[in-house]
Amino acid sequence: STLQEPGLFTSMAIPAGAFVCIYTGTFFLSEEFDGLPRTQRDQLSRYATEVEQHGVTIAPPVAATTCKVDFTLHPAAAANEPSASGEANAFTQASVVEVVASDGELHAYLAACIFTCRAVAAGGESLWNYGEGYADQRKGAGYDAGPGCPDELIDEKSLPSMRNRVG
């Protein structure tokens, strides 16, 4: 990577429309994340992803001494954006998963996953555009990102509602 950052690489080819990984970390309500002390929020923002439609920010923990994320525990955080001359081959999709727990109650969980919109060759890097909300971080790092996956590719590859798949 030209930014000298880790990346999310694959050891085998991944077809378009394939699941890559789940974005993991601490789930914050957006207003809770925005209310964190500035230093902490700035450290977490580098690797955080916002799920706007659910008002949630997911941020993997950052080591206080190194300001780094453990990518073996949080591999999705290593996924980079395409360079200005490239294009994304992956996108994120958030889904609410409902399960009946042992207490008999229905519980809902939010999962943010990375999927491919284009094939990724063996040894290739999964790249997704982080969206407009990441503009300040891009500016601070001094780079421009390439475009995200086109909507028509995402729509083609997106999973149908869980309610439509489970009878």
Side-chain angles (χ1 to χ4, degrees), residues 63-133:
T65 55
T66 62
C67 294
K68 299 286 183 188
V69 169
D70 182 345
F71 296 119
T72 59
L73 294 176
H74 306 284
N80 290 313
E81 290 190 287
S83 65
S85 62
E87 58 187 5
N89 57 20
F91 65 96
T92 59
Q93 179 176 314
S95 299
V96 175
V97 180
E98 295 177 331
V99 296
V100 176
S102 59
D103 63 4
E105 296 293 319
L106 184 65
H107 296 268
Y109 300 93
L110 179 66
C113 301
I114 298 178
F115 294 91
T116 56
C117 65
R118 295 181 174 87
V120 181
E125 184 175 10
S126 292
L127 301 166
W128 63 286
N129 182 289
Y130 304 156
E132 292 303 313

Side-chain angles (χ1 to χ4, degrees), residues 9-125:
F9 293 86
T10 178
S11 60
M12 54 190 203
I14 303 175
F19 168 79
V20 176
C21 60
I22 296 175
Y23 210 96
T24 57
T26 303
F27 284 59
F28 295 91
L29 293 175
S30 294
E31 53 274 359
E32 179 186 15
F33 187 80
D34 292 342
L36 292 173
R38 184 169 184 78
T39 304
Q40 182 183 11
R41 189 178 65 244
D42 288 348
Q43 286 177 341
L44 292 172
S45 289
R46 185 171 180 193
Y47 298 105
T49 188
E50 185 176 12
V51 185
E52 285 184 39
Q53 67 267 36
H54 296 284
V56 171
T57 298
I58 306 168
V62 176
T65 55
T66 62
C67 294
K68 299 286 183 188
V69 169
D70 182 345
F71 296 119
T72 59
L73 294 176
H74 306 284
N80 290 313
E81 290 190 287
S83 65
S85 62
E87 58 187 5
N89 57 20
F91 65 96
T92 59
Q93 179 176 314
S95 299
V96 175
V97 180
E98 295 177 331
V99 296
V100 176
S102 59
D103 63 4
E105 296 293 319
L106 184 65
H107 296 268
Y109 300 93
L110 179 66
C113 301
I114 298 178
F115 294 91
T116 56
C117 65
R118 295 181 174 87
V120 181
E125 184 175 10

